[in-house]
Each structure stands twice: as structure tokens, then as C-alpha cells.
Amino acid sequence: MIATESTAARIARTSEPAAMAEAAEQRPLGPLARLVDAELEVPVLGGGFVRHVNLDIAASAPALAAVAAHVAEVLPYYASVHRGTGYPSQQTTALVEAARATVARHIGARDDDLVVFTRNTTDALNLLAAAVPGDTVVLDLEHHANLLPWRGGARRVVVARPTVTETLEVLDAELARRPVALLTVTGASNVTGEVLPIDRLAALAHAHGARLAVDAAQLLPHRRVSLEASGIDYLAFSGHKAYAPFGAGALIGRADWLDAAPAYLAGGGAVESVALDRVAWKQGVARHEAGTPNVIGIAAIARALGEFERLGDAARDRHERALTERLHAGLAAQRGVRVVRGFDDADDRLGIATIELERGSVGLLAAALGAEHGISVRAGRFCAHPFFERVASRANGLRASLGAGSSADDVDRFLAALGRLIADGPAHAYDRGPEGWHPLADDRPRPAF
Ligand SMILES: Cc1ncc(COP(=O)(O)O)c(C=O)c1O
């Protein structure tokens, strides 16, 4: 085991507010919010440490510092929910119910919508899939979480067209063809960052008597969404992509289908009464939340959403749009790189860019970015295999994604390292194993845990 005192000491030193402020001043566009990994230094091959550049936010985001502080604050009160008679239990119950109200308010839920807490987006969409009383139409550009739960004959997949406008037309035709209960779409592609026109999709679904569900795993942490204003009937999201990585998510939406559906989890808390030969299931959120909920994850989500509100939608938009433009401008100037797109006319995109290389392996490039430059990205097909295979010309892409903790310096370091690796190749030797590319000799120390 390698001694790691110095790793911890480095992290502590560089996370000092004074060091943060000084670093922010030196950068043209600093982070919008403080994340717990701000100024984290990571070891690189051959020795030494560099400031970590986290461009894998679309996969999972570190906690906001305010969220981590909130978790530490509430942990001493952690106790059983709903049934406890002690003071901590009552505070824990209040925390969960206050979080439910915060989520509802933040996303502009209607008064009679349910906010069901789940593990993540995948869980939320599986819950909804078990409640849909009819056919579901889905686009082929979805993450597997919004493709696989709608199974069998009740799922109809529409292949998106080269433009958003044409895609809306084919969806219109599909919805007119046969009765459809639900149209379900991603709010923004996790491969290209392209944002779909939610209001128009809601109007389209409603015109055909269908409802609209939105997979907001990517959208919600980066753009403000309102169910009431946009007409979305159901929305699913994950805490870990919204800077609250403590294992909770949510499904929010209309109560009638959820009340009529079988309990998603059978167990305590979901029932009015039980006899050996009969069960009376509850209605409302309790019906689908059997067992002990993830109180800490739920509290973390509410704190993160509150923090977004404090930062302000306009500031978040300005910050992310400026960095996104910088990233795309830099990628356009790179030789041998093609940015993957789903639509020719998508004029709005989140801070996500997936590239393909004319030559060479994106997996090797991603490994070298991490091991030699301290830059985290992701290589693969991003759990959107049908879409990736349709729009990409290579087997795998490399995705860089940013968020509230990102800075112009992060983007610039990524672009510089990418250019160097494409031109000269990695400085170290790598091998390809079942888990992908890794350094042949990895001398980086590991943290004590
Ligand atoms: C668009 C989209 N939907 C759903 C998911 C699944 O999210 P989770 O793993 O939190 O269930 C992801 C994760 O990457 C995603 O990007």
C-alpha cells in the first residue's frame, strides 16, 4: 500500500477558500458553484499531481459543497421515517416531506401531481412503465433507461430524422396511426447534448390524446423545467446527476395512472392493511415507496435544487452556454475530430460534446487524458447504442461534459491535451483489457480508502 498522507494534505490545502478565490481570479470564466471536488488534485503517470479536470459530469456529478454540508448537518437526526415517536424520527419524516414539496415547487408540478422518490431515473421510468395503460411511443435516440422499460408489443420506436422539424412530423404521423397512451422522450441527449422542444412535444402528444413523459436525467441539472408551463405529464430525474450523489431520484406526475398501477415494490408502508389472504394497498406516493426510503439521498436532492434556485437560472444558463460554446469552438478547430450530432437544426444544446476520431482509438485517448493529464471524460456508446450506431461512423465516441463546477480553464486544458495526444500520441504505454485501455505500468498512488 502506498502512503497517501500527501494526497489528503494536497486536497485539504487546495480546497481552502483563499486558494479557490485566487484560482478563480486567474481564470477567465470560473466555476459557477463550489463542488466538493473543487481543486482536487490527482496523480499522473510518472509522478506529480495536477488539478483534476472533471469533464464527466453527464455520467455523475460530484456533490455541491452546500449539499455535502447539508448531509453532514442532518445526519445526526437520521432516524426511521413515518412511524417513529422520537424527536429525530419526527425531524427525519419532516425532512422527507419538505423535500417532496421542494421538488414539486422546483419543477412547477401541478397541485395534484405525485412526487414519488425512487433510486434514480432508471427506477423512475421502470415505475412509470408498469403504470402506462396502453401503448408507448419512444424515439430511437434515448438512453437505454428510456428505451428498455417499454417492452414488447406496447412499445413503438420511431427513428428520429435528421432535423427536429422532420422528427416532430414523423412522431405526429405515428401518434395518429393508432391510439397511444404515452410519448416518452429525453429532455436532452446524453450523447450530443441536443435539447428537444419539450413544449412542442407536449402539445403534439396532447393533440393525439396521449401524455408526455420526459427523461430529465440530463436536462434538469442544467435547465429549469416546469411541468405546468410546458405540459409535461411525467418527469424522471436522478440526484447523482444533479450534484446530489446519495442514491435517490424521483418520478413526478399525474396521480391517476400511478394510483391504478400495482405497487412498484410490495412491502411495508405501501399498505393500509394486510391479512394472509388479502391486501389493501395505499394510494398516492406511499403505494410505490414501500420499505425505508433513502432519506439522505432525498434531503440531498432538495438541497441541490434549492441551491440551483439560489444561483439563479439566468446565471446557470450564461455560465454553461459560454463554456459549451468554448468547448465546441475548440473542437471545431481540432484536426481529425468529428463532433457527433443527432439533428442538423437543433439550436440548443447542453454542455455535452461527443467526438469521433478520424484515426486511432478514443478509448486509448480517454485513458491517456485521465492517466497523463488528470482529465476525466468517458469513451463508449453511452448507453444509447441504437442512436450512437445510427449517427456515428466509428464504434465508439469520446464524451466531454461540463456543469456548474466547470471553468474555462477546464475546457482549455482538455482541448490542449486532446490536441497534443492526437498529434503525438500518449507518452506512456497502454494495454487493452476487458475493462478498456489502462496504463501498462501504473505508478500513481491511491487514496488511503
Ligand atoms: C438521458 C439519460 N437518461 C437516463 C439515464 C440513467 O440515469 P440513472 O443511471 O441515474 O438511472 C442517464 C444516465 O446517464 C441519462 O443520461
PDB file of all heavy atoms in Angstrom, residues 78-98:
ATOM      1  N   TYR A  78     -30.690  11.519  11.748  1.00  0.00           N
ATOM      2  CA  TYR A  78     -31.207  10.417  10.931  1.00  0.00           C
ATOM      3  C   TYR A  78     -31.890   9.374  11.809  1.00  0.00           C
ATOM      4  O   TYR A  78     -31.330   8.906  12.800  1.00  0.00           O
ATOM      5  CB  TYR A  78     -30.088   9.744  10.121  1.00  0.00           C
ATOM      6  CG  TYR A  78     -30.652   8.581   9.363  1.00  0.00           C
ATOM      7  CD1 TYR A  78     -31.408   8.787   8.211  1.00  0.00           C
ATOM      8  CD2 TYR A  78     -30.546   7.280   9.848  1.00  0.00           C
ATOM      9  CE1 TYR A  78     -32.002   7.735   7.550  1.00  0.00           C
ATOM     10  CE2 TYR A  78     -31.140   6.219   9.187  1.00  0.00           C
ATOM     11  CZ  TYR A  78     -31.872   6.462   8.047  1.00  0.00           C
ATOM     12  OH  TYR A  78     -32.484   5.431   7.394  1.00  0.00           O
ATOM     13  N   ALA A  79     -33.115   9.020  11.452  1.00  0.00           N
ATOM     14  CA  ALA A  79     -33.881   8.016  12.205  1.00  0.00           C
ATOM     15  C   ALA A  79     -34.947   7.457  11.270  1.00  0.00           C
ATOM     16  O   ALA A  79     -35.019   7.842  10.100  1.00  0.00           O
ATOM     17  CB  ALA A  79     -34.521   8.662  13.426  1.00  0.00           C
ATOM     18  N   SER A  80     -35.795   6.585  11.783  1.00  0.00           N
ATOM     19  CA  SER A  80     -36.819   5.966  10.941  1.00  0.00           C
ATOM     20  C   SER A  80     -37.847   7.021  10.494  1.00  0.00           C
ATOM     21  O   SER A  80     -38.084   7.996  11.196  1.00  0.00           O
ATOM     22  CB  SER A  80     -37.540   4.871  11.722  1.00  0.00           C
ATOM     23  OG  SER A  80     -38.263   5.467  12.771  1.00  0.00           O
ATOM     24  N   VAL A  81     -38.427   6.809   9.313  1.00  0.00           N
ATOM     25  CA  VAL A  81     -39.453   7.750   8.835  1.00  0.00           C
ATOM     26  C   VAL A  81     -40.856   7.240   9.159  1.00  0.00           C
ATOM     27  O   VAL A  81     -41.095   6.045   9.218  1.00  0.00           O
ATOM     28  CB  VAL A  81     -39.395   7.957   7.309  1.00  0.00           C
ATOM     29  CG1 VAL A  81     -38.463   9.066   6.938  1.00  0.00           C
ATOM     30  CG2 VAL A  81     -39.109   6.699   6.585  1.00  0.00           C
ATOM     31  N   HIS A  82     -41.751   8.192   9.328  1.00  0.00           N
ATOM     32  CA  HIS A  82     -43.196   7.970   9.395  1.00  0.00           C
ATOM     33  C   HIS A  82     -43.710   7.251  10.634  1.00  0.00           C
ATOM     34  O   HIS A  82     -44.765   7.570  11.127  1.00  0.00           O
ATOM     35  CB  HIS A  82     -43.710   7.252   8.126  1.00  0.00           C
ATOM     36  CG  HIS A  82     -43.557   8.115   6.907  1.00  0.00           C
ATOM     37  ND1 HIS A  82     -43.158   7.623   5.693  1.00  0.00           N
ATOM     38  CD2 HIS A  82     -43.730   9.446   6.727  1.00  0.00           C
ATOM     39  CE1 HIS A  82     -43.097   8.620   4.820  1.00  0.00           C
ATOM     40  NE2 HIS A  82     -43.436   9.736   5.414  1.00  0.00           N
ATOM     41  N   ARG A  83     -42.976   6.298  11.156  1.00  0.00           N
ATOM     42  CA  ARG A  83     -43.578   5.546  12.262  1.00  0.00           C
ATOM     43  C   ARG A  83     -42.935   5.804  13.616  1.00  0.00           C
ATOM     44  O   ARG A  83     -43.439   5.381  14.634  1.00  0.00           O
ATOM     45  CB  ARG A  83     -43.546   4.053  11.940  1.00  0.00           C
ATOM     46  CG  ARG A  83     -44.520   3.683  10.826  1.00  0.00           C
ATOM     47  CD  ARG A  83     -44.334   2.275  10.333  1.00  0.00           C
ATOM     48  NE  ARG A  83     -43.116   2.096   9.583  1.00  0.00           N
ATOM     49  CZ  ARG A  83     -42.974   2.377   8.292  1.00  0.00           C
ATOM     50  NH1 ARG A  83     -43.992   2.868   7.612  1.00  0.00           N
ATOM     51  NH2 ARG A  83     -41.832   2.184   7.660  1.00  0.00           N
ATOM     52  N   GLY A  84     -41.822   6.531  13.631  1.00  0.00           N
ATOM     53  CA  GLY A  84     -41.115   6.719  14.901  1.00  0.00           C
ATOM     54  C   GLY A  84     -41.791   7.761  15.791  1.00  0.00           C
ATOM     55  O   GLY A  84     -42.409   8.701  15.293  1.00  0.00           O
ATOM     56  N   THR A  85     -41.660   7.580  17.095  1.00  0.00           N
ATOM     57  CA  THR A  85     -42.280   8.530  18.020  1.00  0.00           C
ATOM     58  C   THR A  85     -41.250   9.503  18.588  1.00  0.00           C
ATOM     59  O   THR A  85     -41.617  10.490  19.219  1.00  0.00           O
ATOM     60  CB  THR A  85     -42.954   7.782  19.183  1.00  0.00           C
ATOM     61  OG1 THR A  85     -41.985   6.917  19.771  1.00  0.00           O
ATOM     62  CG2 THR A  85     -44.157   6.986  18.706  1.00  0.00           C
ATOM     63  N   GLY A  86     -39.965   9.235  18.380  1.00  0.00           N
ATOM     64  CA  GLY A  86     -38.922  10.097  18.935  1.00  0.00           C
ATOM     65  C   GLY A  86     -38.736  11.369  18.103  1.00  0.00           C
ATOM     66  O   GLY A  86     -39.171  11.455  16.947  1.00  0.00           O
ATOM     67  N   TYR A  87     -38.061  12.333  18.707  1.00  0.00           N
ATOM     68  CA  TYR A  87     -37.838  13.620  18.063  1.00  0.00           C
ATOM     69  C   TYR A  87     -37.055  13.490  16.744  1.00  0.00           C
ATOM     70  O   TYR A  87     -37.481  14.022  15.705  1.00  0.00           O
ATOM     71  CB  TYR A  87     -37.110  14.554  19.050  1.00  0.00           C
ATOM     72  CG  TYR A  87     -36.886  15.945  18.527  1.00  0.00           C
ATOM     73  CD1 TYR A  87     -37.898  16.898  18.561  1.00  0.00           C
ATOM     74  CD2 TYR A  87     -35.649  16.311  17.987  1.00  0.00           C
ATOM     75  CE1 TYR A  87     -37.680  18.183  18.080  1.00  0.00           C
ATOM     76  CE2 TYR A  87     -35.432  17.592  17.506  1.00  0.00           C
ATOM     77  CZ  TYR A  87     -36.443  18.525  17.553  1.00  0.00           C
ATOM     78  OH  TYR A  87     -36.233  19.793  17.069  1.00  0.00           O
ATOM     79  N   PRO A  88     -35.916  12.741  16.728  1.00  0.00           N
ATOM     80  CA  PRO A  88     -35.181  12.610  15.466  1.00  0.00           C
ATOM     81  C   PRO A  88     -36.044  11.999  14.360  1.00  0.00           C
ATOM     82  O   PRO A  88     -35.986  12.427  13.209  1.00  0.00           O
ATOM     83  CB  PRO A  88     -34.004  11.692  15.821  1.00  0.00           C
ATOM     84  CG  PRO A  88     -33.814  11.893  17.283  1.00  0.00           C
ATOM     85  CD  PRO A  88     -35.197  12.086  17.842  1.00  0.00           C
ATOM     86  N   SER A  89     -36.857  11.013  14.731  1.00  0.00           N
ATOM     87  CA  SER A  89     -37.720  10.387  13.719  1.00  0.00           C
ATOM     88  C   SER A  89     -38.703  11.402  13.150  1.00  0.00           C
ATOM     89  O   SER A  89     -38.958  11.439  11.942  1.00  0.00           O
ATOM     90  CB  SER A  89     -38.457   9.207  14.347  1.00  0.00           C
ATOM     91  OG  SER A  89     -39.346   8.658  13.403  1.00  0.00           O
ATOM     92  N   GLN A  90     -39.227  12.237  14.020  1.00  0.00           N
ATOM     93  CA  GLN A  90     -40.173  13.259  13.523  1.00  0.00           C
ATOM     94  C   GLN A  90     -39.464  14.258  12.611  1.00  0.00           C
ATOM     95  O   GLN A  90     -40.010  14.683  11.592  1.00  0.00           O
ATOM     96  CB  GLN A  90     -40.830  13.967  14.713  1.00  0.00           C
ATOM     97  CG  GLN A  90     -41.823  13.052  15.411  1.00  0.00           C
ATOM     98  CD  GLN A  90     -42.156  13.485  16.830  1.00  0.00           C
ATOM     99  OE1 GLN A  90     -41.631  14.472  17.334  1.00  0.00           O
ATOM    100  NE2 GLN A  90     -43.021  12.732  17.473  1.00  0.00           N
ATOM    101  N   GLN A  91     -38.222  14.603  12.956  1.00  0.00           N
ATOM    102  CA  GLN A  91     -37.469  15.532  12.086  1.00  0.00           C
ATOM    103  C   GLN A  91     -37.132  14.871  10.754  1.00  0.00           C
ATOM    104  O   GLN A  91     -37.145  15.508   9.698  1.00  0.00           O
ATOM    105  CB  GLN A  91     -36.176  16.004  12.779  1.00  0.00           C
ATOM    106  CG  GLN A  91     -36.399  16.669  14.118  1.00  0.00           C
ATOM    107  CD  GLN A  91     -37.607  17.602  14.114  1.00  0.00           C
ATOM    108  OE1 GLN A  91     -37.748  18.461  13.240  1.00  0.00           O
ATOM    109  NE2 GLN A  91     -38.499  17.417  15.073  1.00  0.00           N
ATOM    110  N   THR A  92     -36.816  13.576  10.800  1.00  0.00           N
ATOM    111  CA  THR A  92     -36.490  12.849   9.563  1.00  0.00           C
ATOM    112  C   THR A  92     -37.715  12.802   8.654  1.00  0.00           C
ATOM    113  O   THR A  92     -37.622  13.031   7.439  1.00  0.00           O
ATOM    114  CB  THR A  92     -35.999  11.426   9.911  1.00  0.00           C
ATOM    115  OG1 THR A  92     -34.794  11.548  10.638  1.00  0.00           O
ATOM    116  CG2 THR A  92     -35.756  10.592   8.678  1.00  0.00           C
ATOM    117  N   THR A  93     -38.871  12.524   9.246  1.00  0.00           N
ATOM    118  CA  THR A  93     -40.102  12.488   8.455  1.00  0.00           C
ATOM    119  C   THR A  93     -40.379  13.860   7.839  1.00  0.00           C
ATOM    120  O   THR A  93     -40.707  13.973   6.648  1.00  0.00           O
ATOM    121  CB  THR A  93     -41.292  12.056   9.345  1.00  0.00           C
ATOM    122  OG1 THR A  93     -40.982  10.779   9.904  1.00  0.00           O
ATOM    123  CG2 THR A  93     -42.582  11.975   8.560  1.00  0.00           C
ATOM    124  N   ALA A  94     -40.193  14.891   8.648  1.00  0.00           N
ATOM    125  CA  ALA A  94     -40.430  16.255   8.154  1.00  0.00           C
ATOM    126  C   ALA A  94     -39.471  16.586   7.014  1.00  0.00           C
ATOM    127  O   ALA A  94     -39.844  17.240   6.028  1.00  0.00           O
ATOM    128  CB  ALA A  94     -40.267  17.250   9.295  1.00  0.00           C
ATOM    129  N   LEU A  95     -38.240  16.105   7.131  1.00  0.00           N
ATOM    130  CA  LEU A  95     -37.219  16.357   6.102  1.00  0.00           C
ATOM    131  C   LEU A  95     -37.653  15.763   4.760  1.00  0.00           C
ATOM    132  O   LEU A  95     -37.562  16.403   3.705  1.00  0.00           O
ATOM    133  CB  LEU A  95     -35.905  15.721   6.569  1.00  0.00           C
ATOM    134  CG  LEU A  95     -34.620  16.078   5.872  1.00  0.00           C
ATOM    135  CD1 LEU A  95     -34.279  17.554   6.070  1.00  0.00           C
ATOM    136  CD2 LEU A  95     -33.477  15.217   6.420  1.00  0.00           C
ATOM    137  N   VAL A  96     -38.131  14.522   4.808  1.00  0.00           N
ATOM    138  CA  VAL A  96     -38.558  13.851   3.571  1.00  0.00           C
ATOM    139  C   VAL A  96     -39.755  14.573   2.963  1.00  0.00           C
ATOM    140  O   VAL A  96     -39.797  14.820   1.747  1.00  0.00           O
ATOM    141  CB  VAL A  96     -38.890  12.362   3.840  1.00  0.00           C
ATOM    142  CG1 VAL A  96     -39.580  11.729   2.642  1.00  0.00           C
ATOM    143  CG2 VAL A  96     -37.621  11.596   4.202  1.00  0.00           C
ATOM    144  N   GLU A  97     -40.715  14.932   3.798  1.00  0.00           N
ATOM    145  CA  GLU A  97     -41.922  15.571   3.240  1.00  0.00           C
ATOM    146  C   GLU A  97     -41.617  16.987   2.752  1.00  0.00           C
ATOM    147  O   GLU A  97     -42.182  17.436   1.754  1.00  0.00           O
ATOM    148  CB  GLU A  97     -43.058  15.525   4.259  1.00  0.00           C
ATOM    149  CG  GLU A  97     -43.538  14.091   4.568  1.00  0.00           C
ATOM    150  CD  GLU A  97     -43.711  13.218   3.297  1.00  0.00           C
ATOM    151  OE1 GLU A  97     -44.233  13.690   2.280  1.00  0.00           O
ATOM    152  OE2 GLU A  97     -43.279  12.038   3.328  1.00  0.00           O
ATOM    153  N   ALA A  98     -40.691  17.670   3.432  1.00  0.00           N
ATOM    154  CA  ALA A  98     -40.286  19.003   2.951  1.00  0.00           C
ATOM    155  C   ALA A  98     -39.556  18.868   1.617  1.00  0.00           C
ATOM    156  O   ALA A  98     -39.723  19.696   0.705  1.00  0.00           O
ATOM    157  CB  ALA A  98     -39.395  19.685   3.983  1.00  0.00           C
TER     158      ALA A  98
END
